[in-house]
Amino acid sequence: MNHNESIGCQVTECKYHCKDDNYCTLENIMVVKHESQAKTVECTDCGSFKKQ
């Protein structure tokens, strides 16, 4: 499966995870936040995640 070397990913449960290595297969992703102001990494997530 082709991957995007600009998007590293370790979430193997995602539909878009490259099964051969730790990269995403999407051309781009949407990063989302959980708070009105993101102040830590825990306030953000990959909004492009889809369960396999």
Side-chain angles (χ1 to χ4, degrees):
M1 181 179 293
N2 292 336
H3 67 249
N4 183 338
E5 292 191 10
S6 296
I7 307 174
C9 180
Q10 297 178 346
V11 183
T12 57
E13 298 84 2
C14 183
K15 173 181 180 178
Y16 303 116
H17 184 271
C18 183
K19 305 309 174 222
D20 299 327
D21 48 33
N22 284 329
Y23 288 98
C24 182
T25 60
L26 293 174
E27 288 185 25
N28 57 64
I29 62 169
M30 177 62 65
V31 177
V32 297
K33 60 184 179 176
H34 302 282
E35 310 288 334
S36 60
Q37 290 186 317
K39 296 180 181 174
T40 66
V41 68
E42 291 82 12
C43 295
T44 63
D45 274 316
C46 179
S48 302
F49 171 83
K50 296 275 189 228
K51 187 172 176 358
Q52 289 188 50

